[in-house]
Coordinates of all heavy atoms in Angstrom, one line a residue:
M1 N 0.8 -1.1 0.0 CA 0.0 0.0 0.0 C 0.9 1.2 -0.1 O 1.8 1.3 0.8 CB -0.8 0.0 1.2 CG -1.9 1.0 1.2 SD -3.0 0.7 2.7 CE -4.5 0.9 1.9
P2 N 0.6 2.2 -0.8 CA 1.5 3.4 -0.9 C 1.3 4.3 0.3 O 0.3 4.4 0.9 CB 1.1 4.1 -2.2 CG -0.3 3.5 -2.5 CD -0.4 2.3 -1.9
K3 N 2.4 5.0 0.6 CA 2.4 5.9 1.8 C 1.8 7.3 1.3 O 2.1 7.7 0.1 CB 3.8 6.2 2.3 CG 4.3 4.9 3.0 CD 5.7 5.3 3.6 CE 6.2 4.1 4.3 NZ 7.5 4.3 5.0
S4 N 1.1 7.9 2.1 CA 0.5 9.3 1.9 C 1.6 10.3 1.9 O 2.5 10.3 2.8 CB -0.6 9.5 2.8 OG -1.0 10.9 2.6
K5 N 1.7 11.2 0.9 CA 2.7 12.2 1.0 C 2.3 13.4 1.9 O 3.1 14.3 2.2 CB 3.0 12.7 -0.4 CG 3.6 11.7 -1.3 CD 4.0 12.2 -2.6 CE 4.6 11.0 -3.5 NZ 5.3 11.5 -4.5
K6 N 1.1 13.5 2.3 CA 0.6 14.5 3.2 C 0.8 14.2 4.7 O 0.7 15.0 5.5 CB -1.0 14.7 3.0 CG -1.3 15.2 1.5 CD -2.8 15.4 1.5 CE -3.1 15.9 0.1 NZ -4.6 15.9 -0.1
R7 N 1.3 13.0 4.9 CA 1.5 12.5 6.3 C 2.8 13.2 6.8 O 3.8 13.2 6.2 CB 1.6 11.1 6.3 CG 1.6 10.4 7.6 CD 1.6 8.9 7.4 NE 1.6 8.3 8.7 CZ 1.6 7.0 8.8 NH1 1.6 6.2 7.8 NH2 1.5 6.5 10.0
K8 N 2.8 13.6 8.0 CA 3.9 14.3 8.7 C 4.9 13.2 9.2 O 4.5 12.1 9.5 CB 3.5 15.1 9.9 CG 2.7 16.3 9.5 CD 2.4 17.1 10.8 CE 1.6 18.3 10.5 NZ 1.3 19.1 11.6
A9 N 6.2 13.6 9.1 CA 7.2 12.7 9.5 C 7.2 12.5 11.1 O 6.9 13.5 11.7 CB 8.6 13.1 9.0
H10 N 7.7 11.5 11.6 CA 7.7 11.3 13.0 C 9.1 11.8 13.5 O 10.1 11.6 12.9 CB 7.8 9.8 13.4 CG 6.5 9.1 13.1 ND1 5.3 9.3 13.7 CD2 6.1 8.2 12.0 CE1 4.4 8.6 13.3 NE2 4.8 8.0 12.2
H11 N 9.0 12.6 14.5 CA 10.1 13.3 15.1 C 10.4 12.7 16.6 O 9.4 12.4 17.3 CB 10.0 14.8 15.2 CG 9.9 15.4 13.9 ND1 10.9 15.6 13.0 CD2 8.8 15.9 13.2 CE1 10.5 16.2 11.9 NE2 9.2 16.4 12.0
E12 N 11.6 12.6 17.0 CA 12.0 12.2 18.3 C 11.7 13.3 19.3 O 11.9 14.5 18.9 CB 13.4 11.7 18.4 CG 13.7 10.5 17.6 CD 15.2 10.0 17.8 OE1 15.7 10.3 18.8 OE2 15.7 9.4 16.9
F13 N 11.3 12.9 20.5 CA 11.0 13.9 21.4 C 12.4 14.2 22.3 O 13.0 13.2 22.7 CB 10.0 13.4 22.5 CG 9.8 14.3 23.7 CD1 9.2 15.5 23.5 CD2 10.3 13.9 24.9 CE1 9.0 16.4 24.7 CE2 10.1 14.7 26.0 CZ 9.4 16.0 25.8
H14 N 12.8 15.4 22.4 CA 13.9 15.8 23.2 C 13.4 16.7 24.3 O 12.9 17.8 24.1 CB 14.9 16.6 22.4 CG 15.4 15.8 21.2 ND1 16.4 14.7 21.4 CD2 15.3 15.8 19.9 CE1 16.7 14.2 20.3 NE2 16.0 14.7 19.3
P15 N 13.6 16.3 25.6 CA 13.2 17.2 26.7 C 14.0 18.4 26.8 O 15.2 18.5 26.3 CB 13.5 16.3 27.9 CG 14.5 15.3 27.5 CD 14.3 15.1 26.1
P16 N 13.5 19.5 27.3 CA 14.1 20.7 27.4 C 15.3 20.6 28.3 O 15.5 19.8 29.1 CB 13.1 21.7 28.1 CG 12.0 21.0 28.5 CD 12.1 19.6 27.9
A17 N 16.3 21.5 28.0 CA 17.7 21.4 28.7 C 17.4 21.7 30.2 O 18.3 21.2 31.0 CB 18.6 22.4 28.1
N18 N 16.5 22.5 30.7 CA 16.4 22.8 32.0 C 15.4 22.0 32.7 O 14.8 22.4 33.7 CB 16.1 24.3 32.2 CG 14.8 24.7 31.5 OD1 14.2 23.8 30.8 ND2 14.4 25.9 31.6
S19 N 15.2 20.8 32.2 CA 14.2 19.9 32.9 C 14.7 19.3 34.2 O 15.9 19.4 34.5 CB 13.9 18.7 31.9 OG 15.0 18.0 31.7
V20 N 13.9 18.8 35.0 CA 14.2 18.2 36.3 C 14.9 16.9 36.1 O 14.6 16.1 35.2 CB 12.9 17.9 37.1 CG1 13.2 17.3 38.5 CG2 12.1 19.3 37.2
R21 N 15.9 16.7 37.0 CA 16.8 15.4 36.8 C 15.9 14.3 37.1 O 14.9 14.3 37.8 CB 17.9 15.5 37.8 CG 18.9 16.6 37.5 CD 20.1 16.5 38.4 NE 20.0 15.8 39.6 CZ 20.9 15.7 40.5 NH1 22.0 16.4 40.5 NH2 20.7 15.0 41.7
S22 N 16.3 13.2 36.6 CA 15.5 11.9 36.8 C 15.7 11.4 38.2 O 16.7 11.8 38.9 CB 16.0 10.8 35.8 OG 17.3 10.5 36.0
K23 N 15.0 10.5 38.7 CA 15.0 10.0 40.1 C 16.2 9.2 40.2 O 16.6 9.0 41.3 CB 13.7 9.3 40.4 CG 12.5 10.1 40.7 CD 11.4 9.3 41.2 CE 10.3 10.3 41.6 NZ 9.2 9.5 42.3
K24 N 16.7 8.5 39.1 CA 17.9 7.6 39.3 C 19.2 8.4 39.7 O 20.1 7.8 40.2 CB 18.1 6.7 38.1 CG 18.5 7.5 36.8 CD 18.8 6.5 35.8 CE 19.3 7.4 34.5 NZ 19.5 6.4 33.4
N25 N 19.2 9.6 39.6 CA 20.4 10.4 39.8 C 20.3 11.0 41.3 O 21.3 11.6 41.9 CB 20.5 11.6 38.9 CG 20.8 11.2 37.6 OD1 21.4 10.1 37.3 ND2 20.6 12.0 36.6
R26 N 19.2 10.8 42.0 CA 19.0 11.2 43.4 C 19.6 10.2 44.4 O 19.6 9.0 44.1 CB 17.7 11.5 43.7 CG 17.1 12.7 42.8 CD 15.7 13.0 43.2 NE 15.2 14.0 42.3 CZ 13.9 14.3 42.1 NH1 13.1 13.8 42.9 NH2 13.6 15.3 41.3
S27 N 20.0 10.7 45.5 CA 20.6 9.8 46.5 C 20.1 10.0 47.8 O 19.7 11.2 48.2 CB 22.1 9.9 46.4 OG 22.7 9.0 47.4
A28 N 20.1 9.0 48.7 CA 19.6 9.2 50.1 C 20.8 9.5 51.0 O 20.5 9.7 52.2 CB 18.9 7.9 50.6
V29 N 22.0 9.5 50.6 CA 23.1 9.7 51.4 C 23.2 11.1 52.1 O 23.4 11.2 53.3 CB 24.5 9.5 50.5 CG1 25.6 9.8 51.4 CG2 24.5 8.0 50.1
P30 N 22.9 12.2 51.3 CA 23.0 13.5 52.0 C 21.9 13.7 53.0 O 22.1 14.3 54.1 CB 22.7 14.6 50.8 CG 23.1 13.9 49.6 CD 22.8 12.4 49.9
V31 N 20.7 13.1 52.8 CA 19.6 13.2 53.7 C 20.0 12.4 55.0 O 19.8 12.8 56.1 CB 18.3 12.7 53.2 CG1 17.2 12.6 54.1 CG2 17.9 13.6 52.0
G32 N 20.6 11.2 54.9 CA 21.0 10.4 55.9 C 22.0 11.0 56.8 O 22.1 11.0 58.0
I33 N 23.0 11.7 56.1 CA 24.0 12.3 56.8 C 23.5 13.4 57.7 O 23.8 13.5 58.9 CB 25.1 12.9 55.9 CG1 25.9 11.7 55.3 CG2 26.1 13.8 56.6 CD1 26.8 12.2 54.1
V34 N 22.6 14.3 57.2 CA 22.1 15.4 58.0 C 21.3 14.9 59.1 O 21.4 15.5 60.2 CB 21.4 16.4 57.0 CG1 20.7 17.5 57.8 CG2 22.3 17.1 56.0
F35 N 20.4 14.0 58.8 CA 19.4 13.5 59.8 C 20.2 12.9 61.0 O 19.8 13.2 62.1 CB 18.4 12.6 59.1 CG 17.3 12.1 60.1 CD1 16.3 12.9 60.5 CD2 17.4 10.8 60.5 CE1 15.4 12.5 61.3 CE2 16.4 10.2 61.3 CZ 15.4 11.1 61.7
L36 N 21.1 11.9 60.6 CA 21.7 11.3 61.7 C 22.7 12.1 62.5 O 23.1 11.9 63.6 CB 22.3 10.0 61.2 CG 21.3 9.0 61.0 CD1 22.0 7.6 60.5 CD2 20.5 8.5 62.2
A37 N 23.2 13.3 61.8 CA 24.2 14.2 62.5 C 23.4 15.0 63.5 O 23.8 15.2 64.6 CB 24.9 15.1 61.5
I38 N 22.2 15.4 63.2 CA 21.4 16.1 64.2 C 20.9 15.1 65.3 O 21.0 15.6 66.5 CB 20.1 16.6 63.4 CG1 20.5 17.7 62.5 CG2 19.1 17.1 64.5 CD1 19.4 18.2 61.6
I39 N 20.6 13.9 65.0 CA 20.3 13.0 66.0 C 21.6 12.6 67.0 O 21.4 12.6 68.2 CB 19.7 11.6 65.5 CG1 18.4 11.8 64.9 CG2 19.7 10.5 66.5 CD1 17.7 10.7 64.3
G40 N 22.7 12.5 66.4 CA 24.0 12.4 67.2 C 24.2 13.6 68.0 O 24.7 13.4 69.1
M41 N 24.0 14.8 67.5 CA 24.2 16.0 68.4 C 23.2 16.0 69.6 O 23.5 16.4 70.7 CB 24.0 17.3 67.6 CG 25.1 17.5 66.6 SD 24.9 18.9 65.5 CE 24.8 20.2 66.6
G42 N 22.0 15.5 69.3 CA 20.9 15.4 70.3 C 21.3 14.4 71.4 O 21.3 14.7 72.7
I43 N 21.8 13.3 71.0 CA 22.3 12.3 72.0 C 23.4 12.8 72.8 O 23.5 12.6 74.0 CB 22.6 11.0 71.2 CG1 21.3 10.3 70.7 CG2 23.4 10.0 72.2 CD1 21.5 9.1 69.8
A44 N 24.4 13.5 72.1 CA 25.5 14.0 72.8 C 25.2 15.1 73.8 O 25.8 15.2 74.9 CB 26.6 14.6 71.8
Y45 N 24.2 15.9 73.4 CA 23.8 17.0 74.3 C 23.1 16.4 75.6 O 23.4 16.9 76.7 CB 22.7 17.8 73.6 CG 22.1 19.0 74.4 CD1 22.8 20.0 74.7 CD2 20.8 18.8 75.0 CE1 22.3 21.1 75.5 CE2 20.3 19.8 75.7 CZ 21.1 20.9 76.0 OH 20.5 21.9 76.8
F46 N 22.3 15.4 75.5 CA 21.7 14.8 76.7 C 22.7 13.9 77.5 O 22.5 13.7 78.6 CB 20.5 14.1 76.3 CG 19.3 15.0 76.0 CD1 18.8 14.9 74.6 CD2 18.8 15.9 76.9 CE1 17.8 15.9 74.2 CE2 17.7 16.7 76.5 CZ 17.3 16.8 75.2
A47 N 23.7 13.4 76.8 CA 24.7 12.4 77.4 C 25.8 13.1 78.2 O 26.4 12.6 79.0 CB 25.2 11.4 76.4
M48 N 26.1 14.4 77.7 CA 27.3 15.0 78.2 C 27.2 15.5 79.7 O 28.2 15.7 80.3 CB 27.7 16.2 77.3 CG 26.9 17.3 77.3 SD 27.5 18.6 76.2 CE 26.2 19.6 76.1
G49 N 26.0 15.7 80.2 CA 25.9 16.3 81.5 C 26.4 17.7 81.6 O 26.2 18.5 80.7
S50 N 26.9 18.0 82.7 CA 27.4 19.4 82.9 C 28.9 19.4 82.8 O 29.6 18.9 83.6 CB 26.9 19.9 84.2 OG 27.5 19.2 85.3
T51 N 29.3 19.9 81.7 CA 30.7 19.9 81.4 C 31.1 21.2 80.6 O 30.2 21.8 80.0 CB 31.3 18.7 80.6 OG1 32.6 18.7 80.4 CG2 30.6 18.6 79.4
D52 N 32.3 21.7 80.7 CA 32.8 22.9 80.0 C 33.1 22.5 78.5 O 33.3 23.4 77.7 CB 34.0 23.4 80.7 CG 33.6 24.0 82.1 OD1 32.5 24.4 82.3 OD2 34.6 24.1 82.9
L53 N 33.2 21.2 78.2 CA 33.5 20.9 76.8 C 32.3 20.5 76.0 O 32.3 19.7 75.2 CB 34.5 19.7 76.8 CG 35.8 19.9 77.6 CD1 36.6 18.7 77.7 CD2 36.6 21.0 77.0
W54 N 31.2 21.3 76.1 CA 30.0 21.0 75.4 C 30.1 21.1 73.9 O 29.6 20.3 73.2 CB 28.8 21.9 75.9 CG 29.1 23.3 75.7 CD1 29.8 24.3 76.5 CD2 28.6 24.1 74.5 NE1 29.8 25.5 75.9 CE2 29.1 25.4 74.7 CE3 28.0 23.7 73.4 CZ2 28.9 26.4 73.8 CZ3 27.7 24.8 72.4 CH2 28.1 26.0 72.6
L55 N 30.9 22.1 73.4 CA 31.1 22.2 72.0 C 31.8 21.0 71.4 O 31.4 20.5 70.4 CB 31.7 23.5 71.6 CG 31.9 23.8 70.3 CD1 30.5 24.0 69.5 CD2 32.7 25.1 70.0
L56 N 32.8 20.4 72.1 CA 33.5 19.3 71.7 C 32.6 18.1 71.5 O 32.6 17.4 70.6 CB 34.8 19.0 72.6 CG 35.5 17.8 72.3 CD1 36.3 18.0 70.9 CD2 36.5 17.6 73.4
W57 N 31.9 17.8 72.6 CA 30.9 16.7 72.7 C 29.9 16.8 71.5 O 29.5 15.8 70.9 CB 30.3 16.6 73.9 CG 31.2 16.0 75.0 CD1 31.8 16.8 76.0 CD2 31.8 14.7 75.0 NE1 32.7 15.9 76.7 CE2 32.6 14.7 76.1 CE3 31.6 13.6 74.3 CZ2 33.4 13.5 76.4 CZ3 32.3 12.4 74.6 CH2 33.2 12.4 75.6
L58 N 29.4 18.0 71.3 CA 28.4 18.1 70.1 C 29.0 17.9 68.8 O 28.4 17.3 67.9 CB 27.8 19.6 70.2 CG 26.8 19.9 71.4 CD1 26.3 21.3 71.2 CD2 25.7 18.9 71.4
L59 N 30.3 18.3 68.6 CA 30.9 18.1 67.4 C 31.3 16.6 67.2 O 31.1 16.0 66.2 CB 32.3 18.9 67.4 CG 33.1 18.9 66.1 CD1 32.2 19.5 65.0 CD2 34.5 19.6 66.3
I60 N 31.6 15.9 68.2 CA 31.9 14.5 68.2 C 30.6 13.7 67.8 O 30.6 12.8 67.1 CB 32.5 14.0 69.5 CG1 34.0 14.5 69.7 CG2 32.5 12.5 69.6 CD1 34.5 14.2 71.0
G61 N 29.5 14.1 68.5 CA 28.2 13.6 68.3 C 27.8 13.7 66.8 O 27.3 12.9 66.1
A62 N 28.1 14.9 66.2 CA 27.7 15.2 64.8 C 28.5 14.4 63.8 O 28.0 13.9 62.9 CB 27.9 16.7 64.5
V63 N 29.8 14.3 64.1 CA 30.7 13.4 63.3 C 30.4 12.0 63.3 O 30.2 11.4 62.2 CB 32.2 13.6 63.7 CG1 33.1 12.6 63.0 CG2 32.7 15.1 63.4
I64 N 30.2 11.4 64.5 CA 29.7 10.0 64.5 C 28.4 9.8 63.9 O 28.2 8.9 63.2 CB 29.7 9.6 66.0 CG1 31.1 9.6 66.6 CG2 29.0 8.2 66.2 CD1 31.2 9.2 68.0
G65 N 27.4 10.8 64.1 CA 26.1 10.6 63.5 C 26.2 10.7 61.9 O 25.5 10.0 61.2
S66 N 27.1 11.7 61.4 CA 27.2 11.8 59.9 C 27.9 10.5 59.3 O 27.5 10.1 58.2 CB 28.0 13.0 59.7 OG 29.2 13.1 60.2
I67 N 28.8 9.9 60.0 CA 29.4 8.7 59.5 C 28.3 7.6 59.5 O 28.2 6.9 58.5 CB 30.6 8.2 60.4 CG1 31.7 9.3 60.3 CG2 31.1 6.8 60.1 CD1 32.8 9.0 61.2
G68 N 27.5 7.5 60.5 CA 26.4 6.5 60.5 C 25.4 6.8 59.5 O 24.9 5.9 58.7
G69 N 25.1 8.1 59.2 CA 24.2 8.6 58.2 C 24.6 8.2 56.7 O 23.9 7.9 55.9
Y70 N 26.0 8.3 56.5 CA 26.5 7.9 55.3 C 26.3 6.5 54.9 O 25.8 6.1 53.8 CB 28.0 8.3 55.3 CG 28.8 7.8 53.9 CD1 28.6 8.6 52.8 CD2 29.5 6.7 53.9 CE1 29.3 8.2 51.6 CE2 30.2 6.4 52.8 CZ 30.0 7.0 51.7 OH 30.7 6.6 50.5
F71 N 26.6 5.6 55.9 CA 26.5 4.2 55.6 C 25.0 3.9 55.5 O 24.5 3.0 54.8 CB 27.1 3.4 56.7 CG 28.7 3.5 56.5 CD1 29.4 4.1 57.5 CD2 29.3 2.9 55.5 CE1 30.8 4.1 57.4 CE2 30.7 3.0 55.2 CZ 31.4 3.6 56.3
F72 N 24.1 4.5 56.3 CA 22.7 4.3 56.2 C 22.1 4.7 54.9 O 21.4 4.0 54.3 CB 22.0 5.1 57.4 CG 20.5 5.0 57.4 CD1 19.9 3.8 57.8 CD2 19.7 6.0 57.0 CE1 18.5 3.7 57.8 CE2 18.3 5.9 57.0 CZ 17.7 4.7 57.4
G73 N 22.6 5.9 54.4 CA 22.2 6.3 53.0 C 22.6 5.3 51.9 O 21.9 5.1 51.0
L74 N 23.8 4.8 52.0 CA 24.3 3.8 51.1 C 23.5 2.6 51.1 O 23.1 2.1 50.0 CB 25.7 3.4 51.3 CG 26.8 4.5 50.9 CD1 28.2 4.0 51.3 CD2 26.8 4.8 49.5
Q75 N 23.1 2.1 52.3 CA 22.2 1.0 52.3 C 20.9 1.2 51.7 O 20.3 0.4 51.1 CB 22.1 0.5 53.8 CG 23.4 -0.2 54.3 CD 23.6 -1.5 53.6 OE1 24.4 -1.5 52.6 NE2 23.1 -2.5 54.1
I76 N 20.3 2.4 52.0 CA 19.0 2.7 51.4 C 19.1 2.8 50.0 O 18.2 2.2 49.2 CB 18.5 4.0 51.9 CG1 18.2 4.0 53.5 CG2 17.2 4.5 51.2 CD1 17.0 3.2 53.8
D77 N 20.1 3.4 49.4 CA 20.3 3.4 47.9 C 20.4 2.0 47.4 O 19.9 1.7 46.3 CB 21.5 4.3 47.5 CG 21.3 5.7 47.7 OD1 20.1 6.1 47.7 OD2 22.3 6.5 47.7
K78 N 21.2 1.2 48.0 CA 21.4 -0.1 47.6 C 20.2 -1.1 47.5 O 19.8 -1.7 46.6 CB 22.5 -0.9 48.4 CG 23.0 -2.1 47.8 CD 24.1 -2.8 48.7 CE 25.3 -1.9 48.8 NZ 26.4 -2.6 49.6
S79 N 19.3 -0.8 48.6 CA 18.2 -1.6 48.7 C 17.0 -1.2 47.7 O 16.3 -2.0 47.2 CB 17.6 -1.6 50.1 OG 17.1 -0.3 50.4
F80 N 17.0 0.2 47.3 CA 16.0 0.6 46.4 C 16.5 0.4 45.0 O 15.7 0.5 44.1 CB 15.6 2.1 46.7 CG 14.7 2.3 47.8 CD1 15.1 3.0 48.8 CD2 13.4 1.6 47.8 CE1 14.2 3.2 50.0 CE2 12.7 1.8 48.8 CZ 13.0 2.6 49.9
S81 N 17.8 0.2 44.8 CA 18.2 0.0 43.4 C 17.9 -1.4 42.9 O 17.8 -1.6 41.7 CB 19.7 0.2 43.3 OG 20.5 -0.7 43.9
K82 N 17.7 -2.4 43.8 CA 17.4 -3.7 43.4 C 15.9 -3.8 43.0 O 15.0 -3.2 43.7 CB 17.6 -4.6 44.6 CG 19.0 -4.8 44.8 CD 19.2 -5.8 46.0 CE 20.7 -5.9 46.4 NZ 20.8 -6.8 47.5
K83 N 15.6 -4.4 41.9 CA 14.2 -4.4 41.5 C 13.7 -5.9 41.4 O 14.3 -6.8 41.1 CB 14.0 -3.8 40.2 CG 14.1 -2.3 40.3 CD 13.8 -1.6 39.0 CE 14.0 -0.1 39.2 NZ 13.7 0.6 38.1

């Protein structure tokens, strides 16, 4: 059967350059780091008691919490990447 010459050609769709990134490029690691760093600071605040080194203890709690948040975020990414 012959093709119609009035028919428009098919064109590929190209999304605009400023479009939103796809979900596969997002990660749970930064969220885990921030969330567990805040929780670590809270635990350190209540566990330190009355001491003059309160800033040091809060910093240690934030560092330990952010390390845990990094590994927690990696595990979340790994578990959601499996289908």
